[in-house]
Amino acid sequence: MPLTRLTLRDFRNHAATRLDGLAMFNVLVGENGAGKTNVLEALSLLAPGRGLRRAQPAEMAARHGDGSFAVAVEMEHGEVVLGTHTQPAAPGRRLVRINGALGPAARLAEWLSLTWLTPAMDRLFAESAGNRRRFLDRLVLARLPGHAQTSARYENALRERNRLLADDREPDPAWLEALESQLAETGAAIAAARADLVADLGAVLETLPEQPFARPSLAYASDTPIDAEALRAALRQGRRRDRAAGRTLTGPHRDDLAVRLAAKDAPAADCSTGEQKAMLIAIVLAHAQLTAGPRPRLLLLDEIAAHLDPLRRAALYERLAASGAQVWMTGTEPAPFAEIAGEAALWHVHDGVVTR
Amino acid sequence: MASQEIEALASALARLPGLGPRSARRAVLWLIKRRESALPQLLAALDTVRQNLVECRTCGNVDTTDPCGICADPRRDARALCVVEDVADLWALDRARLFTGRYHVLGGRLSALEGVRPEDLTIARLLERVQAGGIDEVVLAMNATLEGQTTAHYIAERLEDLPVRVTQLAHGLPVGGELDYMDEGTLAQALRARRPV
């Protein structure tokens, strides 16, 4: 069992919540605003990053507490304890504790692999490319922890170059050269990691039937040369154009994840809401299959079962059970989870209190 | 509430790197308690620094003489020049006494966002030093940060046409480091910089 216990203290509307005896399927049921998604959010903090709401640490502390919060999980029946917390004196700074020792958040990725799907992501295919890049990068990060560092260095160099180009004075070519050589090195690595993942996901998706989940075909929509030297040359050539535009127009920060519905060969953005959701689920399931390894995996699926018809729901549960990941789902009523009632732990959430 | 004098001292101390208001007040209290013993020593030391320290016009080091002790030392190898971002880096390198040449302090690192441009650093003076001749090798000892590496690239570029060998400190495994604790970026860099043994 990946996680055996979850404890929340002063986390959003959970003053003191403990879930003991977790199962492979954990279902949180309760009315709107009861605090179901808050439990998923707490779990999402056990991956490097800002969690599934991208909230600031101070926002996550309970309003009536001392300004701090704590989240902890036990793995292997208490052999491994992962936790994250803030302190009353510094509510904006989230600390990570692994087996009692403070450490960098990036180290969490060595223990757990986490993926989530929330209703906020339903419009992913129709939204701006930035959200799809972030989605793609999180999938890359789940198997390549160093991706975060490379991306940070790239972003940093990009801001420097843009500032230089926006200057009234003619930019110093040697300075641009110095920045571009670093942009090229990190940018090519980012593009390569994303392209690799998209190819691997595509290979898994190929093996799946068209139904019951609308099968997507993926492509990494990129003009970024994967070879660092070529990217460097492209940046050098684009200087005049970029200076006129006021920003850098070449590089992985302009790329996109292109998704099409395989059966109709139509862009995902033009498909029905139900089809878009089904494709998103298919991608997350394929990713879960891809990242299968020694690390326990967690899938957080917020408000997912209610929107599926019984046939697709049954197929979803079947694939989730086969994935080997610990699955966390939420819903406003227990009925859609009847098919897995036997193997799932059902948790009732009411006003920040969870009972089994 | 502390008196105005104490507040003034505390706010002056708070500006020191790594101190901040809380530690500054603690330091003030410590000094007040020892105003007969420790304070005169501190005052004397501060006054000496104020009166005697100058910046070396050759390398940018801080010393009581100009040129500084390092630049004036005849045992130092004048043909090797090590370029660093700040005086603190010079001290770190020289503490180890591993580098026998002379130094050049840039006075910072290039940063478009912070508005630090090439003309704000002592790059022109570095080029003059190299152009004057007598230097065979320039060692770039910048930090492994984005800004540090940008600065190193930039200087290498500017030195390209001069008859001098330009080298850079190696990046990779730290001495005593264990492989399985290294992040991927460091490992990738170490692998790229591998060499025959």
Side-chain angles (χ1 to χ4, degrees):
Chain A
M1 195 62 56
L3 304 185
T4 46
R5 171 189 278 180
L6 166 68
T7 315
L8 311 181
R9 178 186 59 73
D10 290 334
F11 185 80
R12 298 218 186 247
N13 70 339
H14 293 266
T17 288
R18 169 165 288 185
L19 279 69
D20 252 320
L22 300 173
M24 283 310 272
F25 280 109
N26 296 282
V27 175
L28 300 153
V29 172
E31 70 271 37
N32 295 328
K36 307 181 295 290
T37 307
N38 293 344
V39 174
L40 300 195
E41 184 185 32
L43 286 166
S44 74
L45 298 180
L46 298 171
R50 285 164 58 184
L52 58 75
R53 284 193 180 108
R54 295 175 56 74
Q56 297 295 334
E59 296 169 35
M60 294 187 271
R63 238 169 273 156
H64 302 296
D66 60 4
S68 72
F69 72 82
V71 175
V73 295
E74 286 187 13
M75 296 160 66
E76 298 162 30
H77 296 279
E79 290 294 305
V80 178
V81 181
L82 308 181
T84 183
H85 66 279
T86 58
Q87 291 169 331
R93 189 159 164 261
R94 188 155 69 83
L95 304 167
V96 166
R97 203 186 271 279
I98 299 172
N99 287 334
L102 288 174
R107 197 139 285 172
L108 287 168
E110 295 172 9
W111 293 94
L112 275 180
S113 161
L114 258 158
T115 314
W116 58 79
L117 215 48
T118 67
M121 289 156 70
D122 284 356
R123 303 293 297 151
L124 188 73
F125 300 129
E127 285 173 332
S128 68
N131 286 333
R132 281 187 296 281
R133 278 193 297 272
R134 199 175 301 132
F135 173 68
L136 185 57
D137 281 335
R138 206 170 53 242
L139 297 182
V140 172
L141 190 61
R143 65 172 190 179
L144 204 67
H147 189 64
Q149 207 184 13
T150 312
S151 301
R153 210 171 163 102
Y154 179 81
E155 294 291 334
N156 205 345
L158 192 62
R159 278 194 297 271
E160 284 277 314
R161 184 177 188 264
N162 287 345
R163 170 60 68 89
L164 216 52
L165 290 171
D167 207 83
D168 292 338
R169 280 182 276 184
E170 189 66 28
D172 187 327
W175 194 349
L176 280 175
E177 189 77 38
L179 285 168
E180 285 163 7
S181 84
Q182 304 198 69
L183 274 170
E185 199 177 304
T186 50
I190 291 168
R194 288 178 183 166
D196 274 353
L197 177 82
V198 170
D200 291 351
L201 277 177
V204 175
L205 288 166
E206 280 292 308
T207 65
L208 301 179
E210 301 276 350
Q211 290 297 335
F213 291 107
R215 183 161 63 85
S217 65
L218 309 183
Y220 182 45
S222 167
D223 297 326
T224 307
I226 283 182
D227 169 60
E229 236 3 90
L231 177 52
R232 190 169 158 166
L235 285 164
R236 191 182 303 134
Q237 267 168 18
R239 279 180 196 168
R240 199 138 293 282
R241 176 203 59 195
D242 291 351
R243 183 150 157 78
R247 62 191 201 281
T248 304
L249 296 176
T250 315
H253 65 288
R254 307 271 298 169
D255 294 347
D256 197 355
L257 173 67
V259 181
R260 298 178 77 82
L261 178 58
K264 295 184 187 164
D265 194 30
D270 297 347
C271 296
S272 77
T273 318
E275 283 170 329
Q276 292 192 30
K277 183 122 188 166
M279 285 190 276
L280 209 48
I281 295 173
I283 294 172
V284 169
L285 286 174
H287 184 259
Q289 198 168 323
L290 203 61
T291 49
R295 284 177 306 168
R297 281 162 305 136
L298 255 54
L299 269 175
L300 315 179
L301 307 175
D302 194 17
E303 299 287 345
I304 207 171
H307 300 284
L308 297 172
D309 55 56
L311 178 82
R312 286 186 172 78
R313 212 153 52 211
L316 171 68
Y317 295 151
E318 202 175 302
R319 296 216 29 211
L320 288 173
S323 74
Q326 186 174 46
V327 181
W328 292 74
M329 287 185 283
T330 62
T332 46
E333 47 196 327
F337 304 102
E339 288 117 286
I340 48 164
E343 45 193 317
L346 185 68
W347 308 92
H348 294 278
V349 186
H350 177 71
D351 205 8
V353 176
V354 183
T355 47
R356 185 149 187 179
Chain B
M1 191 62 214
S3 76
Q4 231 175 343
E5 291 77 8
I6 290 176
E7 282 299 327
L9 178 56
S11 74
L13 285 175
R15 272 174 240 157
L16 295 180
L19 225 54
R22 212 182 271 261
S23 310
R25 275 198 293 275
R26 206 172 300 155
V28 168
L29 211 57
W30 188 89
L31 286 172
I32 291 171
K33 281 187 191 150
R34 291 161 185 79
R35 60 184 173 280
E36 297 305 328
S37 53
L39 204 49
Q41 273 178 33
L42 182 66
L43 283 172
L46 285 173
D47 200 48
T48 314
V49 164
R50 189 178 69 87
Q51 287 190 11
N52 300 331
L53 281 196
V54 286
E55 192 175 290
C56 173
R57 264 173 296 185
T58 311
C59 75
N61 188 17
V62 178
D63 204 346
T64 49
T65 54
D66 177 23
C68 70
I70 293 174
C71 286
D73 188 346
R75 290 164 300 176
R76 291 265 178 177
D77 182 0
R79 285 165 311 173
L81 191 64
C82 181
V83 184
V84 293
E85 291 179 19
D86 286 310
V87 176
D89 301 326
L90 185 160
W91 289 347
L93 276 165
D94 216 53
R95 248 198 323 266
R97 300 230 171 257
L98 295 169
F99 186 70
T100 53
R102 293 187 177 147
Y103 292 93
H104 188 88
V105 180
L106 292 173
R109 60 212 69 78
L110 290 179
S111 168
L113 291 173
E114 287 166 26
V116 182
R117 323 187 118 267
E119 57 268 29
D120 298 322
L121 305 177
T122 61
I123 292 172
R125 207 161 64 195
L126 170 67
L127 296 179
E128 279 167 28
R129 281 181 86 177
V130 176
Q131 269 157 354
I135 294 171
D136 296 340
E137 182 181 3
V138 172
V139 183
L140 300 177
M142 264 88 256
N143 289 323
T145 58
L146 176 87
E147 287 84 359
Q149 289 310 296
T150 302
T151 310
H153 270 284
Y154 180 85
I155 293 174
E157 189 93 8
R158 298 289 305 268
L159 289 170
E160 207 173 39
D161 299 328
L162 297 173
V164 66
R165 195 160 76 100
V166 181
T167 57
Q168 192 184 7
L169 290 193
H171 297 176
L173 293 185
V175 173
E178 290 178 44
L179 277 191
D180 61 344
Y181 278 94
M182 288 309 130
D183 66 275
E184 286 153 33
T186 306
L187 278 176
Q189 179 56 45
L191 210 53
R192 266 202 300 275
R194 69 186 185 275
R195 50 167 195 189
V197 286

